[in-house]
C-alpha cells in the first residue's frame, strides 16, 4: 500500500476503450466480508457466492482484481486452490483457471492482509487520523479484497467488523445493523446487512472513536429513518447544518421526484483525509470534513451552500447512482451529471434561484469551457481512458448536468418527470447506460431524441452565432442561428447538436412582447421568424443558459445596457453586464493591457453607476446584485484570447476595477457602510442574509482595488469587527494583496492565531495567501509549503495551497522566470509517489501550455518533461501529461 494506484509508467500503460465493453463472465449474487481491523495490518476474509453469467461468453477464467493486498489463502467450494495449478497471479489480481471452475453455482473464499496505515493513495481501506475509513470509487475495492471490481457486478452484502473497543468503539458499514456484541479481550463486533444489490464501488466501512448527532425522518409512506452524522468529538458542534441539509434533501426528493429513502438507517461520516468531496456509499456516506463541518466562526456562506448542495448530492445518489447504477465507468455521467442537475435544482429551491444559476454557469464557463479547449477535452461519455480517476472532470459532472438540464428545457418539467419515472420503472436494481436514460426520456414523451445523443458523443464547446433582422413593413423579426464546434483531439469534424435555445423579446419600453420560448436548433444553420412584432425588439437569447455553448451575438453596447436594466430573465440580465465588461476587458488584454493614459468609456461607467445605485436602493436580490457588480473572472477572460497573456489579463482587470472604484467611490463606501450588520444581530443563512454579506464584500473588494491606506484601514476594521467567517475571510483576502505591509502581515498573523489549530480554518489561511497578488508570491507560497502546518499528504491542505495558487494566482504561476512552474512541478513529483490521483489533478495545470507565448511554452514544456522523466511515474499523471505533449 502507498504505491501508485496502478503500474509504474516506465512503459506506456494500457488504454481502455468503451467499444470493448463485454459483460462480466461470472456474476456475484452475495458477498460476505469479515474484517479483523487493526491499523498496521488488517485481515479481510471474503466469501463470494458466484455463478456463470449466461449473457457472457463461456469458457474463460475467473479474473478477480486485486491491488496492494497480500493473499493468504483462496478456496473454491471449500477446497484450497494451488497457485500455478488452479489459479495464477497476474499484474492486476489473480485468475482462477477454467479447469478449476464448476459449471454450477460456486463459492469463492479468500483471506487477505491489507495495511491501512501505509495507504497514502487514500483508495481502499486507509487510516485518516485515528480513524479507519474506505474509498472504493472507482477502483478501490480491489485494494480491500479480491473481486470482480466493476460496476455491473451487483450483489447483496453482509459485513462483520471486529476491532478494539477502546480505539474503535463505533463500527459502521452499509445498510442496517443486524447484530453487535463483545468478543472479549477488549474487542467487539458489529454486523451490517445491505438488502439492496450494489456494485463494489459503493461498499464502505468506518471504524473509530467518533461523536455524532442524530435525528429521524418519516417518509410519506410512514417509514421512520434513523439519521446519524458523525465526526471527531471536537467537531460535533459543527454538524447541525449537515443534519438539517440532509432532512431538507429527503423532503425535496420526495416532493420533486417521489423518491423515498429505502433504508432504516442513514449515516454520514466526516473524515479529514479524503481525495474527493464526498462519496454516496449506500446508507453510509463518507464526506470530506470540509463539506460537513460548519459554524459561523469557522465557515463562510459559500461553505454553508456547498454543504447543503453536496449533502443533497450524495443523498440523491441513493436513486440516481445506487438503485440505478452505471454499467461501466464510461457511463459515469449517467449518475454524476444527473445527480449534479438534481443537487443544483435542490439548491436553487433552497436558496436564491437566480444567484445559484449564475454561480453554476460561472463555474461551467471558467472550468469546463477551459477543459473543453484543452488536450483533455472529452465527451461527457468518454470513449477511452488510461486511468478512470482522471475522468472525474468538470465535463462529466458540470457539462453532464447541463445536458440533463437540456432534456428539461426540451420536454418541460412535467415531461422530464415522466421520463424520470419511466427510467426508474424500467431500471431499478440495474446497471445501465446513458442510452437507456435517453430512451426513457424519449419513450415517456413520444419525442425523437436520436440526434441528442451527439451531446454524449462529441467533445468541445459549441459556438452559437446569432444574427438579427427586423422587417418593419412585415412586422417580422428574424433570428438566424448558426452552430459550429471546434475540432478536439480525435474529433476533427463535428455534426450539429440538438439544442434548446430559449428566447424572449422585449419592447422599447422594457415590456416583454414575447415570453420565453424554446427554439429547437438541430441544423448547422436555421432561421426563426416571429410575426406580429410591431416595433423593433431587443432579443434576449439563451435565457437561463439553456445550452452549454459560447454565444456570439453581436448586440450593441446600448442593447446590452438595455438588457442589464430591463430583461425579465435574471440570468440574462446578469449576463448582459458580463458581456459588456468582457468586451472591454478582452479588448484591453488583446493589446497587452491598458495604456498609461487609458480611461474607461463614459457609457460603461454610467452602466455601472446604474447597477450600483439599484443595489443601494435594494431593488434586486442582493446576491444577484453582487454578481452583477463583479467583473468576469480571469480564467473566463483568458479563454477568449488567441494567445493567453496572464499579465495583460490581470492588468486589465485591475485597471477596470480601480477605475470603477475611483469613479464611484462614494457609492461603494455607502453600500459597504449601509450593509454593515446591526449590533447584536444574530447569524442567519437565509438567502437574504447571505446576499447582504455577499454584496457588502463585493463593495469592499472594489474599494480595496485602490490599494491605498484608507482602503486597508477599512478592510482591517471589517476584519477586526467581523461577526462571522464570511466577513473575516473577505477582509483578509483584500488585506493579503494590500501594499500596506503592517495591515497585511498583522491580519495574516492574527487569522493564524485565531484559527487555534482548526484544520479547515487553516486551509483558508493557506489558500488566501496563495491567491494574494504580491510581488514575491511564488517565494511566499514556496515558504508556506515548508510551514509546520502544511502536510502535502492531506488532500485538503495540498489543495488549499497548490490549487489556490494555480487557479487563483495566474500571474504568479505563469511568472516569466518559470519559478511558478518549477514549484508546482516539484510538488507534482513529490505527490505522485504518495497520491497519484491528486498529483494528476495538479499536473493538469500544464494542459494548456501551448496557449501561451513562446517563452512560457518552453518553460512549461521543460517542467512537463521533467515530471515525465520521473522513474515509476503513475499512470494517472502519465495520462494527463502525455496528452498535453501530444496536443
Amino acid at each position: 500500500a502507498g504505491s501508485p494506484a496502478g503500474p509504474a509508467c516506465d512503459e506506456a500503460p494500457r488504454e481502455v476503450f468503451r467499444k470493448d465493453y463485454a459483460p462480466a463472465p461470472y456474476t456475484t449474487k452475495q458477498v460476505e466480508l469479515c474484517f479483523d481491523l487493526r491499523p498496521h495490518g488488517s485481515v479481510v476474509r471474503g466469501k463470494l457466492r458466484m455463478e456463470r453469467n449466461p449473457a457472457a461468453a463461456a469458457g474463460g477464467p475467473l479474473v478477480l482484481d486485486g491491488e496492494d493486498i497480500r493473499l493468504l489463502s483462496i478456496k473454491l467450494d471449500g477446497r484450497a486452490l494451488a497457485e500455478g495449478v488452479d489459479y495464477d497471479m497476474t499484474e492486476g489480481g489473480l485468475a482462477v483457471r477454467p479447469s478449476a471452475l464448476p459449471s454450477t453455482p460456486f463459492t469463492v473464499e479468500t483471506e487477505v492482509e491489507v495495511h491501512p496505515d501505509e495507504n497514502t493513495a487514500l483508495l481502499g481501506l486507509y487510516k485518516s487520523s485515528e480513524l479507519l475509513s474506505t474509498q472504493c470509487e472507482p477502483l478501490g475495492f480491489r485494494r480491500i479484497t479480491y473481486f470482480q471490481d466493476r460496476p455491473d457486478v451487483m450483489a447483496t452484502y453482509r459485513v462483520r467488523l471486529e476491532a478494539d473497543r477502546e480505539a474503535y468503539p463505533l463500527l459502521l458499514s452499509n445498510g442496517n445493523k443486524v447484530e453487535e456484541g463483545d468478543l472479549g479481550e477488549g474487542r467487539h463486533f458489529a454486523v451490517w446487512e445491505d438488502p439492496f444489490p450494489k456494485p463494489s464501488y459503493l461498499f464502505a466501512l468506518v471504524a473509530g472513536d467518533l461523536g455524532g448527532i442524530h435525528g429521524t425522518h418519516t417518509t410519506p409512506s410512514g417509514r421512520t429513518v434513523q439519521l446519524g452524522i458523525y465526526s471527531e468529538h471536537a467537531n460535533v458542534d459543527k454538524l447541525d447544518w449537515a443534519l438539517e441539509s440532509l432532512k431538507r434533501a429527503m423532503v425535496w426528493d420526495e416532493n420533486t421526484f417521489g423518491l423515498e429513502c429505502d433504508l432504516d438507517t442513514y449515516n454520514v461520516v466526516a473524515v479529514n483525509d479524503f481525495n474527493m468531496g464526498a462519496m454516496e456509499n449506500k446508507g453510509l456516506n463518507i464526506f470530506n470534513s470540509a463539506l460537513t463541518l460548519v459554524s459561523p466562526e469557522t465557515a463562510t456562506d459559500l461553505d454553508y451552500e456547498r454543504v447543503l448542495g453536496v449533502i443533497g448530492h450524495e443523498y440523491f445518489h441513493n436513486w440516481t447512482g445506487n438503485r440505478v447504477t452505471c454499467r461501466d465507468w464510461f457511463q459515469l455521467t449517467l449518475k454524476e451529471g444527473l445527480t449534479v442537475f438534481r443537487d443544483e435544482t435542490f439548491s436553487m429551491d433552497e436558496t436564491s434561484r437566480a444567484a445559484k444559476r449564475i454561480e453554476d454557469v460561472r463555474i461551467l464557463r471558467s472550468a469546463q469551457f477551459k477543459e473543453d479547449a484543452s488536450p483533455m477535452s472529452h465527451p461527457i461519455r468518454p470513449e477511452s481512458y488510461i486511468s478512470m480517476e482522471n475522468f472525474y472532470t468538470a465535463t462529466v459532472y458540470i457539462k453532464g448536468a447541463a445536458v440533463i438540464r437540456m432534456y428539461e428545457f426540451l420536454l418541460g418539467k412535467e415531461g422530464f418527470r415522466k421520463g424520470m419515472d419511466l427510467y426508474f420503472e424500467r431500471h431499478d436494481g440495474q446497471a445501465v447506460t446513458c442510452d437507456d436514460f435517453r430512451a426513457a426520456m424519449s419513450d415517456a414523451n413520444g419525442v425523437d431524441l436520436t440526434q441528442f445523443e451527439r451531446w454524449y458523443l462529441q467533445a468541445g464547446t459549441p459556438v452559437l452565432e446569432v444574427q438579427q433582422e427586423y422587417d418593419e413593413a412585415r412586422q417580422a423579426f428574424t433570428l438566424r442561428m448558426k452552430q459550429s464546434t471546434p475540432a478536439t483531439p480525435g474529433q476533427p469534424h463535428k455534426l450539429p447538436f440538438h439544442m434548446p435555445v430559449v428566447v424572449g423579446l422585449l419592447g422599447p419600453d422594457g415590456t416583454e412582447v414575447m415570453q420565453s420560448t424554446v427554439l429547437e436548433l438541430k441544423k448547422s444553420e436555421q432561421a426563426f421568424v416571429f410575426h406580429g412584432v410591431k416595433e423593433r425588439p431587443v432579443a434576449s437569447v439563451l435565457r437561463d443558459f439553456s445550452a452549454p455553448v459560447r454565444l456570439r451575438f453581436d448586440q450593441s453596447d446600448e442593447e446590452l445596457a438595455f438588457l442589464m436594466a430591463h430583461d425579465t430573465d435574471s440570468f440574462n440580465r446578469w449576463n448582459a453586464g458580463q458581456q459588456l465588461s468582457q468586451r472591454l476587458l478582452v479588448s484591453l488584454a488583446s493589446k497587452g493591457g491598458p495604456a498609461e493614459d487609458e480611461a474607461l468609456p463614459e457609457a460603461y461607467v454610467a452602466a455601472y453607476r446604474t447597477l450600483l445605485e439599484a443595489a443601494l436602493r435594494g431593488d434586486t436580490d442582493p446576491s444577484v446584485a453582487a454578481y452583477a457588480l463583479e467583473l468576469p473572472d480571469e480564467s473566463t477572460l483568458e479563454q477568449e484570447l488567441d494567445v493567453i497573456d496572464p499579465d495583460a489579463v490581470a492588468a486589465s482587470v485591475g485597471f477596470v476595477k480601480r477605475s470603477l472604484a475611483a469613479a464611484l467611490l462614494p457609492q461603494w463606501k455607502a453600500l459597504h457602510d449601509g450593509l454593515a450588520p446591526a449590533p447584536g444581530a444574530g447569524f442567519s443563512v437565509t438567502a437574504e442574509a447571505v446576499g447582504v454579506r455577499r454584496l457588502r464584500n463585493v463593495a469592499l473588494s472594489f474599494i480595496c482595488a485602490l490599494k491605498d491606506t484608507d482602503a486597508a484601514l477599512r478592510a482591517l476594521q471589517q476584519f477586526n469587527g467581523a461577526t462571522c467567517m464570511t466577513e473575516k475571510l473577505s477582509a483578509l483576502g483584500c488585506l493579503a494583496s494590500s501594499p500596506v505591509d503592517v495591515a497585511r502581515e498583522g491580519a495574516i498573523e492574527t487569522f493564524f492565531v485565531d484559527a487555534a489549530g482548526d484544520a479547515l480554518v487553516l486551509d483558508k489561511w493557506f489558500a488566501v495567501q496563495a491567491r494574494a497578488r504580491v510581488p514575491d508570491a511564488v517565494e511566499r507560497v514556496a515558504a508556506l509549503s515548508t510551514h509546520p502546518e502544511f502536510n502535502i499528504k492531506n488532500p485538503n491542505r495540498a489543495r488549499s495551497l497548490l490549487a489556490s495558487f494555480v487557479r487563483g494566482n495566474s500571474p504568479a504561476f505563469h511568472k516569466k522566470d518559470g519559478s511558478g512552474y518549477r514549484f508546482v512541478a516539484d510538488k507534482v513529483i513529490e505527490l505522485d509517489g504518495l497520491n497519484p490521483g491528486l498529483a494528476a489533478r495538479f499536473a493538469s495545470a500544464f494542459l494548456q501550455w501551448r496557449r501561451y507565448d513562446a517563452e512560457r511554452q518552453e518553460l512549461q514544456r521543460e517542467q512537463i518533461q521533467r515530471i515525465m522523466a520521473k522513474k515509476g511515474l503513475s499512470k494517472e499523471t502519465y495520462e494527463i501529461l502525455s496528452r498535453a505533449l501530444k496536443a
Side-chain angles (χ1 to χ4, degrees), residues 27 52 65 184 255 260 337 345 510 537 668 709 759 782 794 807 829:
T27 61
R52 295 183 184 274
D65 302 303
N255 293 338
E260 294 187 4
T345 309
W668 290 117
T709 303
N794 177 266
R807 298 173 190 166
I829 291 169

Side-chain angles (χ1 to χ4, degrees), residues 605-682:
V605 176
Y608 245 86
R609 182 180 287 110
T610 300
L611 285 175
L612 194 46
E613 289 173 349
L616 279 163
R617 293 192 303 269
D619 289 351
T620 58
D621 176 333
S623 279
V624 175
Y627 288 136
L629 289 167
E630 286 189 311
L631 296 174
D633 65 80
E634 291 176 0
S635 177
T636 300
L637 294 170
E638 287 176 352
Q639 300 310 305
E640 297 297 318
L641 300 174
D642 294 330
V643 177
I644 298 173
D645 183 343
D647 295 329
V649 171
S652 300
V653 172
F655 163 73
V656 171
K657 196 164 187 178
R658 282 194 309 276
S659 300
L660 288 170
L664 304 170
L665 188 58
Q667 292 95 322
W668 290 117
K669 286 183 175 179
L671 187 62
H672 185 254
D673 291 338
L675 296 177

Side-chain angles (χ1 to χ4, degrees), residues 235-405:
N235 292 321
V236 169
D237 62 339
K238 300 173 187 171
L239 294 175
D240 290 340
W241 179 244
L243 181 59
E244 172 65 19
S245 298
L246 178 58
K247 290 180 176 180
R248 291 188 187 189
M250 298 175 93
V251 171
W252 183 88
D253 216 16
E254 291 162 355
N255 293 338
T256 307
F257 289 106
L259 302 173
E260 294 187 4
C261 183
D262 51 12
L263 290 171
D264 300 329
T265 304
Y266 196 97
N267 291 319
V268 174
V269 178
V271 300
N272 293 329
D273 300 284
F274 202 71
N275 279 338
M276 299 184 179
M279 182 61 211
E280 69 267 21
N281 316 298
K282 183 77 178 184
L284 178 56
N285 292 177
I286 299 179
F287 269 65
N288 188 319
S289 57
L291 293 170
T292 321
L293 309 176
V294 290
S295 71
E297 299 78 21
T298 62
T300 64
D301 293 335
L302 180 59
D303 293 328
Y304 274 85
E305 290 176 349
R306 290 174 67 206
V307 168
L308 176 73
V310 179
I311 287 278
H313 180 96
E314 306 308 331
Y315 174 73
F316 300 145
H317 265 314
N318 190 51
W319 281 90
T320 52
N322 296 5
R323 288 284 288 259
V324 184
T325 195
C326 306
R327 185 195 70 179
D328 54 73
W329 287 119
F330 297 102
Q331 317 294 329
L332 180 61
T333 198
L334 173 70
K335 74 182 184 78
E336 294 301 346
L338 177 55
T339 306
V340 169
F341 164 80
R342 276 154 53 72
D343 84 56
E344 288 177 350
T345 309
F346 163 63
S347 291
M348 285 180 193
D349 290 345
E350 293 291 324
T351 60
S352 164
R353 186 174 189 85
K356 174 60 177 169
R357 186 66 185 133
I358 291 167
E359 289 168 12
D360 292 338
V361 175
R362 284 173 55 165
I363 295 170
L364 179 72
R365 285 174 169 170
S366 65
Q368 197 281 319
F369 281 14
K370 182 177 181 178
E371 188 169 84
D372 252 347
S374 81
M376 276 296 288
S377 179
H378 54 276
I380 63 170
R381 182 181 61 192
E383 294 298 328
S384 68
Y385 61 79
I386 290 175
S387 172
M388 186 56 214
E389 278 199 74
N390 287 335
F391 286 86
Y392 285 76
T393 61
T395 298
V396 167
Y397 279 65
I398 304 172
K399 185 176 181 179
V403 169
I404 297 296
R405 194 169 297 279

